[in-house]
Amino acid sequence: MSKSKYGINTICTHIGEIKDEQFKGAVSPIYMSTSYQFDNVGVKRYPRYFNTPNQEHLSKKIAALEHTETAMIFGSGMAAVSTTLLAFLKTGDHIVVQNTLYGGTSNFIKEEFPKYGIEFTFTDGYEVTDFEVAIKPNTKVIHIETPSNPLLTITDIKGVADLAKSKGLITTIDNTFASPVNQNPVDFGIDIVMHSATKYLGGHSDILAGAVACSNAHMEIIWNVAKNLGGSLSDFTVWMLERSMKTLVLRVKAQNKNAKKLAKFLDGHKDVKNVYYPGLKSHPQYELAKSQMKGFGGMLSFELAEGLDAMQFQKELKLIKSSMSLAGVESTVLSPHKTSHALLTQEERDAIGVSDRLIRFSVGIESKQDLISDLEQAISKVKKSKLQTQELKTS
Ligand SMILES: *Cc1c(COP(=O)(O)O)cnc(C)c1O
């Protein structure tokens, strides 16, 4: 673990800046070259080696935010996840993974690992004991994701990290949902932190990127695979990401605040059955969340009351958009049963609590009252339709 001497807002604004020595401009210049002079020390600079000036500098910002020695930028969150897992697993190895993961990660494991002869076990639950019973003699890695998607379940980061250490296993976490503003897994003993930078790090729904943060020793292993798989990011987008990350803390704190207020509003609404948000005292793991998160994040889920149509609800929303992705400054919603969990059977969805009335809500930075009014008017329209259908049936 390595801590910067600067506060988090200063890290976002200044760490990883490239000084514009020539023109004294206020922001980092972009170096778009894919060809660099081979210097006598033998440094080979090439974008796919993840060592162009913009890549190297932005990595410093991400490492400082995650309290790690180093970091690396990837072309997507999936490039970061797939490269990292493949770096620590080979034929005959086994990985223990948390039972609910981002759909893309889950598909990657299920579809690709069998081709490499890598074994995997999805845990039955989220308790440390669920991870412990899944460990085998050939286990090498434990992979977690907390808060989980879409029900915001919390995994005990320190508990899992301690378990892994006692067995000599490597731990990896997908920290996308929390962002480094709300959660620093390395402080609790996790080895490797991954991000889909497409989400909070980018924050404006216009950048596809990924990142990994860890020790120099682990990064060397990851880099050796990364250069072969080639999942690097264009320097223009690296520069865009640096620009976006200057306001990371401001954005995420505004999203935390809005999400908490909206979670409370929905929780007290008679037409909403369940609200899933780790910052609500009624969340079964509120205490655990409080012990490992600095803020509770901008993601929440809620289930409309029985008989209310979630698809119609989304169509009725005027300000809040329906969207496949998340974490932008604009508020968005989606139906997990139609999107991320569409490939599961109804029974499988029921088993994990993803009903067809569940809405995942990525809370943005809009004025709270406007979001509440939008939710309110959409709910009342869906209720009206429900009453009309009931009248039709009885008449
Ligand atoms: C979106 C997402 C990913 C994948 O990121 P891409 O940038 O789309 O490749 C991985 N993990 C989580 C938790 C995500 O939300």
Side-chain angles (χ1 to χ4, degrees):
M1 183 163 71
S2 43
K3 278 240 168 88
S4 167
K5 66 177 179 181
Y6 293 114
I8 189 167
N9 266 311
T10 313
I11 292 172
C12 282
T13 334
H14 290 299
I15 298 294
E17 279 176 303
I18 303 178
K19 291 257 175 305
D20 179 0
E21 299 290 359
Q22 194 176 3
F23 299 109
K24 316 289 180 201
V27 304
S28 304
I30 311 181
Y31 293 92
M32 289 295 287
S33 289
T34 54
S35 175
Y36 288 84
Q37 187 178 334
F38 181 78
D39 73 20
N40 290 332
V41 199
V43 176
K44 288 180 266 184
R45 243 187 232 287
Y46 187 57
R48 188 166 41 76
Y49 293 164
F50 301 82
N51 63 0
T52 59
N54 290 97
Q55 288 173 330
E56 279 189 346
H57 278 74
L58 177 55
S59 295
K60 289 181 191 161
K61 198 193 296 291
I62 292 172
L65 285 170
E66 283 293 10
H67 307 169
T68 56
E69 285 176 344
T70 188
M72 211 153 85
I73 324 293
F74 286 83
S76 68
M78 279 315 299
V81 170
S82 57
T83 303
T84 304
L85 294 183
L86 287 176
F88 292 96
L89 294 163
K90 60 179 189 316
T91 306
D93 287 345
H94 174 258
I95 178 173
V96 175
V97 282
Q98 184 178 305
N99 74 352
T100 45
L101 292 180
Y102 170 71
T105 306
S106 203
N107 288 344
F108 165 65
I109 291 170
K110 289 178 190 161
E111 290 171 12
E112 303 304 325
F113 282 13
K115 299 179 195 166
Y116 294 90
I118 298 167
E119 295 172 39
F120 55 87
T121 305
F122 282 85
T123 60
D124 284 332
Y126 300 85
E127 300 295 325
V128 175
T129 47
D130 292 314
F131 287 87
E132 191 164 15
V133 297
I135 295 173
K136 295 186 186 187
N138 56 339
T139 304
K140 293 285 151 55
V141 178
I142 300 182
H143 179 69
I144 63 171
E145 201 177 298
T146 179
S148 77
N149 180 14
L151 293 177
L152 289 308
T153 310
I154 306 296
T155 304
D156 179 350
I157 301 177
K158 184 170 186 304
V160 171
D162 287 348
L163 166 70
K165 283 212 177 82
S166 75
K167 310 262 183 195
L169 310 177
I170 289 183
T171 42
T172 56
I173 187 171
D174 185 328
N175 204 28
T176 302
F177 262 40
S179 92
V181 180
N182 291 326
Q183 183 168 281
N184 291 124
V186 166
D187 295 353
F188 298 94
I190 293 289
D191 295 311
I192 297 161
V193 181
M194 312 175 201
H195 281 280
S196 167
T198 312
K199 314 297 166 52
Y200 287 103
L201 303 189
H204 297 73
S205 309
D206 55 7
I207 289 172
L208 191 80
V212 175
C214 59
S215 68
N216 289 325
H218 283 140
M219 193 58 87
E220 194 180 328
I221 297 169
I222 296 169
W223 182 81
N224 275 306
V225 175
K227 73 176 197 307
N228 294 336
L229 296 181
S232 58
L233 186 63
S234 136
D235 282 292
F236 176 72
T237 317
V238 172
W239 182 87
M240 289 275 288
L241 184 55
E242 196 230 327
R243 177 192 198 275
S244 300
M245 286 183 65
K246 291 182 187 185
T247 55
L248 174 70
V249 182
L250 304 183
R251 286 187 276 110
V252 170
K253 284 195 172 161
Q255 285 165 310
N256 286 346
K257 206 170 148 200
N258 265 353
K260 197 168 187 176
K261 297 245 167 77
L262 289 168
K264 282 188 180 154
F265 161 76
L266 290 164
D267 201 34
H269 202 292
K270 61 183 186 326
D271 299 309
V272 174
K273 196 173 155 201
N274 287 309
V275 179
Y276 304 89
Y277 185 63
L280 284 180
K281 293 213 171 74
S282 56
H283 188 288
Q285 294 156 305
Y286 172 73
E287 289 301 330
L288 176 60
K290 215 169 79 172
S291 72
Q292 62 189 30
M293 299 181 82
K294 289 174 267 192
F296 297 108
M299 299 299 302
L300 64 93
S301 289
F302 61 98
E303 199 181 0
L304 292 171
E306 217 108 1
L308 298 183
D309 181 348
M311 293 315 284
Q312 190 204 344
F313 170 78
Q314 288 186 53
K315 285 193 197 108
E316 301 292 1
L317 289 167
K318 294 194 161 71
L319 196 60
I320 303 166
K321 294 179 187 138
S322 132
S323 154
M324 279 290 284
S325 198
L326 58 106
V329 289
E330 69 285 356
S331 291
T332 61
V333 288
L334 74 66
S335 278
H337 89 286
K338 288 278 186 200
T339 53
S340 54
H341 292 65
L343 294 177
L344 302 184
T345 63
Q346 187 63 51
E347 275 165 16
E348 286 173 321
R349 280 195 294 266
D350 289 344
I352 57 171
V354 177
S355 87
D356 55 5
R357 283 172 287 112
L358 186 75
I359 310 263
R360 190 189 74 185
F361 191 176
S362 168
V363 180
I365 64 168
E366 300 93 336
S367 304
K368 175 197 66 180
Q369 197 47 51
D370 296 329
L371 295 174
I372 289 180
S373 306
D374 199 22
L375 293 169
E376 198 68 277
Q377 64 83 22
I379 291 176
S380 74
K381 287 207 181 105
V382 208
K383 267 178 76 178
K384 212 174 269 171
S385 304
K386 181 191 162 192
L387 289 176
Q388 280 164 355
T389 342
Q390 278 171 347
E391 277 164 21
L392 278 176
K393 275 188 194 147
T394 49
S395 64

